[in-house]
Amino acid sequence: VPVSNIRNFCIIAHIDHGKSTLADKLLQLTGTVQMREMKEQFLDNMDLERERGITIKLQAARMRYVLDNVPYCLNLIDTPGHVDFSYEVSRSLAACEGALLVVDASQGVEAQTLANVYLALENNLEIIPVLNKIDLPGAEPDRVAREMEEIIGLDCSTAIQCSAKEGIGIAEILNSIVTRIPPPNDTSQSPLRALIFDSYYDPYRGVIVYFRVVDGSIRKGDKIYFMASGKDYFADEIGVLSPNQMQVDELYVGEVGYLSASIRSVADARVGDTITHFGRRAASSLPGYEEATPMVFCGLFPVDADQFPELRDALEKLQLNDAALKFEPETSSAMGFGFRCGFLGLLHMEIVQERLEREYNLTLITTAPSVVYRVNCANGDIIECSNPSLLPEPGKRRSIEEPFVKIEMLTPKEYIGSLMELGQERRGEFKEMNYITENRASLIYELPLAEMVGDFFDQLKSRTKGYASMEYSFVGYRESDLVKLDVQINGEPVEPLSTIVHKDKAYAVGRALTQKLKELIPRQMFKIPIQACVGSKVIASESLSAIRKDVLSKCYGGDISRKKKLLKKQAEGKKRMKAVGKVEVPQEAFMAVLRLE
Ligand code: GDP
Ligand code: MG
């Protein structure tokens, strides 16, 4: 089809508002995916995504659609639905001219809706408002449309009412994609520029790159050059996504497709990079490329020291597929050999941990996540510290800076008070409050990222009965009065339990942490002191009394199966223990600092 008949679009929505369901229906109605091959939610194809109901990796699909006897090519580019991946969201939006803005008509505008709309507006996208779930008895499309007009300032008189689930309004959506979203600019004569909006590692073919041709065209066999990574390759295979990969010889301006070029690691062809021809290079790369900067770090240690080489292999393999994952060896006297790993955020961290355990069969101890502190040393050096146990001694540092985030919370008005308390407890600085409708308010705070890592989101949800939503973005480093809190168990320092806390909170955290550890560490045959210290000063201490632990004595008679069960249970409990000196410390203890009352 000519470039004037191409439409590139994405779907933006708050989680659970129906993005995946709608995408499925668009694929069905255009005959792109037949009913019988339709697994539910075709676009979210990683197991983990399916289980968690989130979209992690972007995918794309090409659809054919005929309107008034004219064939159109519609490219749907899926976007991940979590703040950890907002850079990926912004690059996938940059590959489009328009966006369907899906809002659940029984819920209304949420924090992610807003964040995604801002990104779409920054990328100059034509936005088509869609009110989904009108089949629900509680749907109020008119009220929600007014809300969208008020909050976003978007004309919603032409908003489409639909039910992705029941298949209502789908054709109308396809028609408006054609009539309202502009075609790509025809820059077919310019040197090639293609925007990478996704890439993944295939063990047989190397990295598969998903891209949008922004200028010029690309042919199979072309020698190509990646402008950010500086690497060059031959495009062995190019093709379209329909939605399965289908080889073609050439892709023209405006088109969306994939290529493979025996690329060894996704870091060489990262999201946001620009592909051009090696021989006829574009003068400048497409805007918006950013290096991946991990915001959250933790230690990963194999429970069984023999698994260290396997852990390294597994991390290397995952990194081929994940340019944002960083790791380096870490040794600790308490934990032995392991790795310090960097992630974009908590969800990213959990995904990597889960994959290491599921796909690589590793049993790991994970230490509590830490942000990256910037330490101004007495000798004038500035160092980045992502491992609390390595923080320079007080005499060797002048000040510590920590990363701050701006968060926007949307909440029904009755919970404003409890969210303000939450903001206060987490060292937040109140910035703004606005009523976005009569009943709902937006609260803006700036607070340390360290205070958000952990249970902030759970707290937000539980304090508002699940009704509030939030979004955050990094705003920069600020100086704070921080100290290092160390933990000793049975007289031995346990470095992985060290944390960096605000000076005013040290006593409270120390007390809560020692109490929590006392609950979590199983009693042993001897008495165990548990202490929290700042410097050489003990600020809190507990003691775990001794016990004679004989599980089997609880069994009466010779009930073999029950005995087995008990033994099995005990063995499972052991699985995630790490011997620190003479004391067995369970996984939960290493995360205790995140769950203090
Ligand atoms: P996503 O997180 O935005 O991708 O949302 P999903 O497509 O996964 O949908 C979230 C939930 O809402 C699922 O349980 C869907 O079955 C349901 N859902 C999606 N669209 C509709 C709809 O039009 N009507 C109703 N009643 N439920 C829907
Ligand atoms: Mg989804």
Side-chain angles (χ1 to χ4, degrees):
V1 302
V3 61
S4 56
N5 290 8
I6 297 174
R7 300 291 182 273
N8 294 322
F9 73 102
C10 55
I11 307 177
I12 55 183
H14 188 75
I15 192 119
D16 280 345
H17 282 200
K19 185 176 74 153
S20 302
T21 312
L22 177 61
D24 286 350
K25 280 296 186 311
L26 297 176
L27 295 181
Q28 272 178 33
L29 199 79
T30 53
T32 312
V33 180
Q34 300 305 323
M35 255 326 210
R36 67 189 145 73
E37 53 174 322
M38 190 90 196
K39 278 184 272 174
E40 212 184 308
Q41 304 197 344
F42 200 87
L43 286 172
D44 301 348
N45 62 7
M46 235 160 90
D47 278 355
L48 219 74
E49 293 185 18
R50 208 176 278 271
E51 275 170 34
R52 294 172 165 234
I54 47 166
T55 312
I56 302 161
K57 293 298 284 181
L58 322 177
Q59 298 283 345
R62 188 176 75 161
M63 296 173 258
R64 302 241 158 235
Y65 186 64
V66 178
L67 183 64
D68 300 330
N69 291 320
V70 182
Y72 290 89
C73 168
L74 314 183
N75 290 304
L76 165 60
I77 293 173
D78 199 17
T79 55
H82 191 277
V83 282
D84 280 8
F85 304 97
S86 69
Y87 169 70
E88 277 79 358
V89 177
S90 88
R91 292 306 80 203
S92 54
L93 297 185
C96 301
E97 276 77 34
L100 301 177
L101 169 62
V102 176
V103 178
D104 183 334
S106 69
Q107 304 280 331
V109 173
E110 296 291 349
Q112 255 180 21
T113 320
L114 282 182
N116 284 325
V117 167
Y118 298 145
L119 285 176
L121 292 172
E122 274 169 32
N123 283 290
N124 293 319
L125 302 195
E126 174 71 29
I127 297 174
I128 302 175
V130 173
L131 298 158
N132 189 32
K133 307 200 190 183
I134 55 160
D135 60 292
L136 289 178
E140 300 175 274
D142 296 329
R143 177 185 68 77
V144 172
R146 270 201 311 279
E147 192 175 299
M148 286 163 79
E149 292 205 339
E150 281 165 30
I151 303 170
I152 308 168
L154 204 65
D155 175 12
C156 287
S157 56
T158 54
I160 301 168
Q161 303 199 359
C162 92
S163 163
K165 194 169 167 193
E166 307 290 329
I168 302 165
I170 309 298
E172 201 185 329
I173 292 174
L174 287 164
N175 292 350
S176 57
I177 290 169
V178 170
T179 54
R180 292 179 56 179
I181 296 176
N185 285 332
D186 187 354
T187 49
S188 50
Q189 300 312 311
S190 308
L192 170 67
R193 285 202 299 181
L195 175 67
I196 302 177
F197 60 82
D198 193 14
S199 59
Y200 73 92
Y201 179 76
D202 176 311
Y204 302 103
R205 297 186 292 165
V207 174
I208 307 294
V209 176
Y210 290 103
F211 61 92
R212 143 87 191 261
V213 182
V214 177
D215 302 315
S217 61
I218 178 170
R219 280 188 74 82
K220 180 182 165 141
D222 283 352
K223 188 169 189 187
I224 51 174
Y225 178 71
F226 293 85
M227 298 181 81
S229 69
K231 308 270 172 159
D232 54 87
Y233 294 96
F234 286 99
D236 305 326
E237 179 184 329
I238 67 173
V240 293
L241 304 149
S242 55
N244 297 317
Q245 296 176 358
M246 202 176 77
Q247 292 197 37
V248 299
D249 287 329
E250 187 159 12
L251 284 169
Y252 299 92
V253 69
E255 288 194 296
V256 172
Y258 75 94
L259 67 79
S260 83
S262 311
I263 304 168
R264 253 191 38 78
S265 156
V266 289
D268 292 349
R270 208 170 79 77
V271 170
D273 202 345
T274 302
I275 307 169
T276 187
H277 279 125
F278 188 79
R280 189 186 173 216
R281 290 190 197 181
S284 61
S285 50
L286 295 161
Y289 180 81
E290 279 172 28
E291 292 295 335
T293 31
M295 300 297 285
V296 177
F297 284 75
C298 77
L300 289 179
F301 297 89
V303 167
D304 175 358
D306 293 346
Q307 281 195 332
F308 176 77
E310 287 161 59
L311 175 58
R312 185 187 50 220
D313 289 351
L315 283 168
E316 280 169 2
K317 287 211 183 85
L318 285 185
Q319 199 174 41
L320 293 177
N321 208 356
D322 184 347
L325 171 64
K326 298 276 171 353
F327 63 90
E328 58 182 43
E330 177 182 357
T331 322
S332 117
S333 57
M335 308 292 278
F337 293 101
F339 291 94
R340 192 87 197 154
C341 304
F343 310 92
L344 295 172
L346 277 191
L347 179 71
H348 185 213
M349 180 176 114
E350 280 170 31
I351 290 167
V352 171
Q353 284 165 10
E354 224 165 298
R355 294 189 64 182
L356 287 170
E357 304 212 325
R358 273 202 220 180
E359 293 168 29
Y360 296 92
N361 251 324
L362 298 164
T363 309
L364 303 172
I365 294 279
T366 312
T367 65
S370 162
V371 301
V372 184
Y373 296 92
R374 203 175 272 168
V375 185
N376 299 301
C377 301
N379 66 3
D381 289 352
I382 298 175
I383 60 166
E384 299 211 318
C385 174
S386 60
N387 185 345
S389 67
L390 299 180
L391 187 75
E393 294 305 312
K396 293 197 168 142
R397 58 179 200 242
R398 268 195 217 124
S399 62
I400 306 175
E401 292 168 42
E402 61 179 334
F404 271 68
V405 290
K406 174 177 151 188
I407 68 170
E408 174 160 21
M409 303 179 272
L410 294 194
T411 177
K413 66 178 175 196
E414 58 265 42
Y415 304 114
I416 291 173
S418 33
L419 287 188
M420 287 185 133
E421 266 168 37
L422 179 62
Q424 219 61 46
E425 285 165 24
R426 302 303 169 101
R427 296 194 276 137
E429 187 182 321
F430 173 79
K431 285 288 165 192
E432 241 181 83
M433 184 181 87
N434 297 300
Y435 276 89
I436 57 175
T437 65
E438 212 174 294
N439 295 314
R440 291 208 311 154
S442 145
L443 278 170
I444 297 182
Y445 272 85
E446 287 181 1
L447 49 78
L449 176 62
E451 297 281 346
M452 245 194 54
V453 166
D455 68 345
F456 189 90
F457 186 69
D458 296 342
Q459 284 292 329
L460 172 104
K461 285 291 178 190
S462 70
R463 289 180 192 209
T464 62
K465 301 205 169 74
Y467 281 113
S469 59
M470 64 171 273
E471 270 286 327
Y472 69 89
S473 56
F474 175 65
V475 287
Y477 272 84
R478 289 179 198 168
E479 192 176 319
S480 296
D481 200 355
L482 301 169
V483 295
K484 179 163 70 120
L485 185 73
D486 294 313
V487 172
Q488 295 196 357
I489 297 178
N490 205 23
E492 294 200 43
V494 186
E495 298 134 34
L497 289 174
S498 295
T499 62
I500 293 173
V501 295
H502 194 269
K503 201 169 149 224
D504 298 343
K505 283 189 167 185
Y507 276 92
V509 171
R511 214 169 311 127
L513 182 58
T514 47
Q515 277 163 13
K516 193 88 187 174
L517 288 171
K518 183 179 169 185
E519 275 169 37
L520 292 172
I521 296 174
R523 293 207 265 163
Q524 328 234 339
M525 309 283 244
F526 47 90
K527 192 174 136 191
I528 305 169
I530 302 172
Q531 295 165 313
C533 328
V534 172
S536 55
K537 189 170 164 208
V538 176
I539 59 168
S541 119
E542 290 284 337
S543 136
L544 191 60
S545 56
I547 190 184
R548 247 197 108 235
K549 203 171 172 193
D550 186 357
V551 201
L552 292 186
S553 67
K554 282 189 204 137
C555 292
Y556 31 83
D559 184 343
I560 297 292
S561 71
R562 172 150 181 204
K563 230 178 228 179
K564 272 190 187 152
K565 251 189 218 154
L566 268 169
L567 284 171
K568 186 157 168 269
K569 218 166 152 196
Q570 214 183 19
E572 274 167 7
K574 274 216 178 96
K575 239 169 61 182
R576 280 173 191 278
M577 295 265 196
K578 193 85 188 174
V580 173
K582 285 192 292 178
V583 181
E584 296 268 314
V585 181
Q587 166 69 68
E588 302 80 64
F590 292 101
M591 291 291 169
V593 69
L594 298 182
R595 307 210 163 74
L596 302 177
E597 288 309 305

